[in-house]
């Protein structure tokens, strides 16, 4: 089996935002820093890497659910991040729901000026319904009227999961320089606003020391509340190590008790690298989540599939697109087992055996042919006659993944 990284180093994420909060810009910066794009196109030029279709270019919004694989080093180890392109517009909420089913975590972007907007609330509640763990990124801190603390408070008051700031900003608006990492208690200051994105780790500036201490205390208190052992240590006045705190926050994020909050300005190239670190630190890999459930069509019984290579194959087709070069591309998320290029698969939804052509790992600017795809991974299949929403599985062990429901959004959308 040819995994690019072990399954615990894999993150399948979506980036979700109210329109204009900076999803496209943040996605492009992520692709740039992870080294997979060589040319960056600004949104207004209509050349965004994730915008595959002409129609999207015209509208400036992203409506397809292509995925892009990229790689990020954290703690000296290579991690793979698959970005599942979730649509941001409420008109396309059926697509939002479909993508929720295949992603394991979300980077939720808010504008530091506009704050929590109605569309953010609606999308947040969709994520609640699908139990998706989240980290939040308060973007546009360079803009006039940006206020990290106000938006943090809005998240606390309007949304369902308790936020915990793991950073606070240094400077604001035109003078936004960087962030204070409240875990390491260091300042990260960007040296330039261009794409080079060089930064320096410095001591906390003197006039931020009190504020940083106050917010660190708040962060520690919020985290220890989710962990009995740490709470005991805390009450006894013992020192709690950074790694213990990070681990507890990871667990609380995956259990959807807490949402780590970070900040920056994607446009000015500040804050995106620490955001990638946070994706690795706090969002789950496929093995951190419970097994997927489905119905065996022969027995009508509910069965589970664990994210293991030696389980029977099972995958969900979440997007079918026509591609100018390859013809029909079916994007699949594999939940268990593995699939080889050139083999056969059972389309349980249609009740027929189907041939699998080539398998492609889609990068921002290239596509890589792979020989097999394993539990937890996402790829595009060429030449499969499947429709969006089909379950594919091992013929001897058929399963239909729980039927997608489209419940009414909890709040009305303005
Ligand atoms: P999307 O609709 O969420 O994908 O948002 P875009 O990424 O297209 O951003 C909307 C507009 O805001 C574009 O003109 C961006 O250049 C701009 N923008 C995005 N991020 C920032 C930021 O951090 N600071 C500033 N000043 N502008 C930003």
């Amino acid at each position: 089996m040819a995994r690019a990284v072990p399954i615990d180093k894999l993150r399948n994420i979506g980036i979700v935002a109210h329109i204009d909060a900076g999803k496209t810009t943040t996605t492009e910066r992520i692709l740039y820093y992870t080294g997979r794009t060589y040319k960056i196109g600004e949104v207004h030029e209509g050349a965004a890497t994730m915008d595959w279709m002409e129609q999207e270019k015209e509208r400036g919004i992203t409506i397809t659910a292509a995925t892009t694989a990229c790689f990020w080093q954290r703690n000296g180890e290579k991690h793979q991040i698959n970005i599942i392109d979730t649509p941001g517009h409420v008109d396309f909420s059926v697509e939002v729901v479909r993508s929720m089913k295949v992603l394991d975590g979300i980077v939720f972007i808010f504008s530091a000026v506009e704050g929590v907007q109605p569309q953010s609330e609606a999308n947040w509640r969709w994520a609640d319904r699908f139990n998706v763990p989240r980290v939040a990124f308060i973007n546009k801190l360079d803009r006039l009227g940006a206020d990290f603390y106000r938006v943090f408070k809005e998240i606390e008051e309007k949304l369902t999961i308790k936020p915990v700031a793991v950073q606070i900003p240094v400077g604001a608006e035109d003078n936004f320089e960087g962030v204070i990492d409240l875990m390491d208690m260091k300042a990260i200051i960007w040296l330039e606003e261009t794409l080079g994105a060089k930064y320096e780790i410095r001591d906390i500036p003197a006039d931020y020391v009190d504020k940083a201490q106050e917010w660190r205390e708040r962060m520690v208190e919020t985290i220890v509340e989710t962990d009995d052992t740490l709470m005991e240590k805390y009450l006894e006045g013992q020192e709690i190590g950074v790694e213990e705190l990070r681990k507890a926050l990871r667990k609380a994020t995956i259990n959807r008790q807490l949402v780590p909050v970070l900040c920056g300005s994607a446009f000015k190239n500040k804050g995106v690298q620490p955001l990638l670190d946070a994706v690795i630190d706090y969002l789950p890999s496929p093995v951190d989540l419970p097994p997927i459930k489905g119905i065996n069509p022969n027995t009508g019984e509910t069965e589970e599939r664990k994210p293991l290579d030696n389980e029977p194959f099972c995958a969900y087709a979440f997007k079918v697109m026509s591609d100018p070069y390859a013809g029909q591309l079916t994007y699949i998320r594999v939940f268990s087992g593995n699939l080889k290029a050139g083999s056969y698969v059972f389309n349980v939804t249609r009740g027929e055996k189907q041939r699998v052509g080539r398998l492609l790992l889609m990068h921002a600017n290239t596509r890589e042919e792979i020989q097999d795809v394993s539990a937890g991974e996402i790829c595009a299949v060429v030449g499969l006659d499947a429709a969006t929403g089909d379950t594919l599985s091992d013929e001897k062990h058929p399963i239909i993944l729980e039927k997608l429901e489209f419940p009414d959004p909890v709040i009305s959308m303005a």
Side-chain angles (χ1 to χ4, degrees):
M1 249 140 293
R3 285 178 181 279
V5 300
I7 191 167
D8 64 319
K9 304 283 182 291
L10 176 62
R11 302 287 181 277
N12 293 314
I13 65 159
I15 299 177
V16 173
H18 183 98
I19 199 146
D20 255 12
K23 185 175 98 167
T24 313
T25 310
T26 307
T27 306
E28 287 204 346
R29 292 328 190 243
I30 288 178
L31 296 177
Y32 181 83
Y33 299 131
T34 55
R36 282 289 172 175
T37 39
Y38 16 93
K39 183 172 172 289
I40 196 118
E42 291 298 353
V43 182
H44 51 84
E45 289 166 9
T49 314
M50 294 286 278
D51 283 351
W52 298 96
M53 291 161 59
E54 286 305 316
Q55 183 196 14
E56 289 172 75
K57 284 185 187 167
E58 277 166 26
R59 294 201 213 173
I61 55 169
T62 312
I63 56 168
T64 62
T67 63
T68 306
C70 55
F71 296 94
W72 187 243
Q73 290 284 129
R74 177 71 171 147
N75 304 323
E77 288 184 283
K78 183 179 173 185
H79 291 75
Q80 179 177 351
I81 302 173
N82 290 326
I83 301 175
I84 296 139
D85 192 16
T86 55
H89 198 279
V90 282
D91 281 358
F92 304 110
S93 58
V94 170
E95 295 224 8
V96 172
V97 174
R98 260 187 211 129
S99 54
M100 293 281 177
K101 203 173 164 80
V102 296
L103 48 79
D104 300 324
I106 287 178
V107 171
F108 223 98
I109 301 178
F110 298 93
S111 158
V113 183
E114 281 85 12
V116 177
Q117 295 164 282
Q119 215 179 72
S120 327
E121 281 190 69
N123 284 334
W124 189 272
R125 279 160 218 278
W126 282 116
D128 284 346
R129 292 209 174 199
F130 285 85
N131 294 325
V132 187
R134 275 149 265 183
V135 300
F137 183 67
I138 301 180
N139 186 35
K140 299 196 173 184
L141 274 174
D142 62 300
R143 273 191 49 199
L144 195 66
D147 186 344
F148 172 82
Y149 300 99
R150 174 173 52 77
V151 178
F152 182 84
K153 198 152 178 269
E154 274 183 42
I155 296 175
E156 207 163 33
E157 286 169 359
K158 288 192 183 172
L159 303 179
T160 47
I161 309 177
K162 200 173 167 56
V164 52
V166 295
Q167 295 178 343
I168 55 168
V170 178
E173 302 177 341
D174 267 355
N175 300 317
F176 171 62
E177 292 177 72
V179 298
I180 292 168
D181 178 331
L182 298 172
M183 284 282 177
D184 293 329
M185 286 301 263
K186 287 282 177 193
I188 305 174
I189 305 295
W190 276 269
L191 302 178
E192 51 198 47
E193 295 189 341
T194 53
L195 270 171
K198 287 197 194 104
Y199 58 83
E200 256 177 28
I201 311 282
R202 296 187 191 157
D203 286 337
I204 296 172
D207 46 345
Y208 278 87
V209 169
D210 288 349
K211 194 154 204 170
Q213 263 157 7
E214 178 199 326
W215 279 82
R216 182 169 214 273
E217 194 56 27
R218 229 172 125 157
M219 176 188 81
V220 173
E221 278 173 12
T222 310
I223 296 173
V224 300
E225 263 172 33
T226 66
D227 186 296
D228 292 346
T229 317
L230 289 191
M231 180 57 112
E232 236 168 78
K233 269 183 132 174
Y234 180 75
L235 292 175
E236 285 167 8
Q238 290 183 40
E239 185 68 27
I240 302 176
V242 174
E243 280 322 306
E244 280 177 294
L245 278 177
R246 264 198 241 279
K247 218 172 131 195
L249 179 53
R250 174 176 178 77
K251 192 166 140 241
T253 305
I254 294 172
N255 291 339
R256 297 170 319 281
Q257 293 163 285
L258 297 178
V259 172
V261 179
L262 295 92
C263 59
S265 161
F267 186 68
K268 296 281 170 80
N269 301 298
K270 295 171 182 172
V272 178
Q273 299 104 321
L275 176 63
L276 283 162
D277 288 344
V279 165
I280 306 302
D281 289 350
Y282 305 123
L283 292 180
S285 80
V287 281
D288 294 315
L289 296 169
I292 188 126
K293 286 190 178 129
I295 308 280
N296 180 329
N298 298 335
T299 62
E301 302 280 323
T302 299
E303 292 182 9
E304 278 186 357
R305 294 287 183 271
K306 297 193 186 78
L308 299 172
D309 290 346
N310 58 7
E311 284 265 298
F313 176 74
C314 140
Y316 179 75
F318 65 96
K319 183 82 195 177
V320 176
M321 297 175 62
S322 98
D323 178 89
Y325 306 104
Q328 180 168 305
L329 282 187
T330 307
Y331 285 84
I332 61 165
R333 154 82 195 241
V334 180
F335 286 98
S336 61
N338 56 73
L339 182 71
K340 285 192 170 42
S343 67
Y344 285 85
V345 73
F346 188 58
N347 184 326
V348 195
T349 312
R350 298 190 175 197
E352 63 188 38
K353 204 168 164 176
Q354 297 183 332
R355 196 179 134 73
V356 175
R358 291 184 297 142
L359 302 177
L360 302 175
L361 186 60
M362 311 296 277
H363 301 287
N365 289 347
T366 57
R367 42 190 71 195
E368 181 187 345
E369 191 154 349
I370 51 175
Q371 291 316 309
D372 50 38
V373 60
S374 305
E377 296 186 313
I378 289 176
C379 79
V381 185
V382 182
L384 189 74
D385 189 22
T388 304
D390 286 0
T391 304
L392 309 172
S393 85
D394 181 317
E395 194 173 8
K396 293 198 194 79
H397 301 93
I399 188 169
I400 295 207
L401 296 177
E402 273 172 330
K403 210 168 166 292
L404 265 188
E405 286 168 35
F406 301 107
D408 292 333
V410 179
I411 62 150
S412 65
M413 283 170 279

